Amino acid sequence: MELDLLIKLGLELGKIVVIAIVVLIFMMVAVLYMVLKLRWVIARIQSRLGPNRTGPWGVLQTAADALKLFQKEDIIPCGADKWLFTIAPAIVFIPAYLVYVVVPFGSGLTAQSLNVGIIYLSAISSISVIGIIVAGWASNNKWSLLGAFRGASQLIAYEVPTILAMIIPVLITGSLDLNEIVSSQGGGIWHWNLFHLSGWPMLPLAFLMLIIAGLAEINVAPFDIMEAESELVAGFNTEYSGMKFALFFLAEFAESFTLSAIVVTLFLGGYQPPLHILGGQLTGLAFSAVSLFWFMFKCWLMVLFIMWVRSTLPRVRVDQLMNLSWKALIPAGLVNLLLTGAYVVFWMPK
Amino acid sequence: MHIFGLFITGYQVAFVAVAGLTVLAAVGVVLVPNILRAALCLGVMLMGVAGLYALMNAPFLAVVQVMIYVGAITTMIILAVFLSNRVMKIGFFQAVYNPLLAAAAAGVMFLFLLVTVANSVWVQGIVEKTPATKDVGVQSVATALLQPYVFPFELASVVLLAVLIGAVVIAKEDTADES
């Protein structure tokens, strides 16, 4: 009886460990490819060649870079707070990894489906700002501290519009569970929240807000004022090298994939195929595989879109960034919330 | 399983571990001399409380706890520390000027909490040594907030609004002084 229980517990733990490792490997591989793709895309947009020497077409470039990072000396500046300096990269990296738990990669392909999935996502990703602040402060360097300070005010300012934008599809669907939000968008491209124009015309506004605020939340150009290399050297991670720097780097790219996954899940139908005949008639394992393909395809389009934005737009100033959030995005988000709430209560067909 | 003749469930082990971590971090908040480290301890402590909510089958409360307290409040506290540069440079000393008075005040608070907790109805769940079976979902939270408790809920938001307006007024006066 006791042995039975222990075996069950062991199996359960084993399952959790396997899922954690699979997610981690997926994250590493995705980031390796995203870094390469980013350098290719930016090179194309700036009429350069980009990495093309290491391996065929340069595909081994980021693997080589990663190898170089592992070999680098792990430097802790003598004025730094050793403990905080060491744990800061972990505080940034762990939330970026934990959010993958609830992402619905395909039909039945969620590590753990939570009925509060969307709040879990925004709650967990809000932790990483503490890591950024700690990293900047512990480095004992004025560029790092300035970067951390900017980062804190930026992330606080943009968390509110992100959540306001994410609430809109939640209100329309009536569920916080990401899987339910996706399954409510099945049946073709005109059922996706973004293109569901016969339903509620304010959804595209929420989509736009989520992309703008999300780009600021994940700290990429044009909103990368906390790293701003022309002003702050490298911002909060100026003093970092080797593995610790690699963790910051990994978290940043993992977050940009997460943003794509959130946008795709909430507005672009998640893992649903764009037309019913493109996989909607399948069931079971076959549909899981097809839906995984569609989810990845849409996410990569979103990732490419983010790369396009970050390679073409100039960096905003600190005050412009603050004004955009507090004076434009948050009021628009509140009005949108009010209107959508009224629509759901009074007019929405049940 | 049985340990030292006592029947212990996995749930109890998890509860004691998370509660222990929470208490340890709370002690750290008070005793750690460096104010940023103390703020980090506060973050760990609040995460521990979220963990306890999760263990008690209140996932909504747990994630909201992380979002509001860990993500926003702790960040705000650290930002305030940044703004007060003096506190950051000098090793922050958490002095207790009158230990007897402090102990008395803490003791009274502890007794008050103990009496309140012991007299509450929800102590039943702990006695049964099992997690609450019914999942406290978002809908039951919403119903509770907007039907029986709508007045205290609205009162809390009025208080928050007053705080917001107060903050704006204070900030306005500052800029007027500069010009």
Side-chain angles (χ1 to χ4, degrees), chain A residues 81 84 119 133 137 149, chain B residues 36-37 40 60 78 82 88:
Chain A
D81 186 328
L84 296 183
I119 319 181
I133 298 173
W137 187 82
F149 195 67
Chain B
L36 197 80
R37 289 187 182 186
L40 264 188
F60 179 70
I78 296 176
F82 272 14
M88 228 167 59

Side-chain angles (χ1 to χ4, degrees), chain A residues 316-345:
Chain A
V316 297
R317 278 200 323 264
V318 182
D319 57 320
Q320 290 171 332
L321 186 83
M322 290 297 139
N323 281 346
L324 177 66
S325 172
W326 294 109
K327 294 184 182 167
L329 289 180
I330 292 180
L334 287 173
V335 169
N336 195 357
L337 179 63
L338 206 65
L339 289 177
T340 310
Y343 167 74
V344 170
V345 172

Side-chain angles (χ1 to χ4, degrees), chain B residues 138-150:
Chain B
V138 186
Q139 263 154 4
S140 48
V141 172
T143 318
L145 274 182
L146 293 178
Q147 279 168 3
Y149 298 106
V150 68

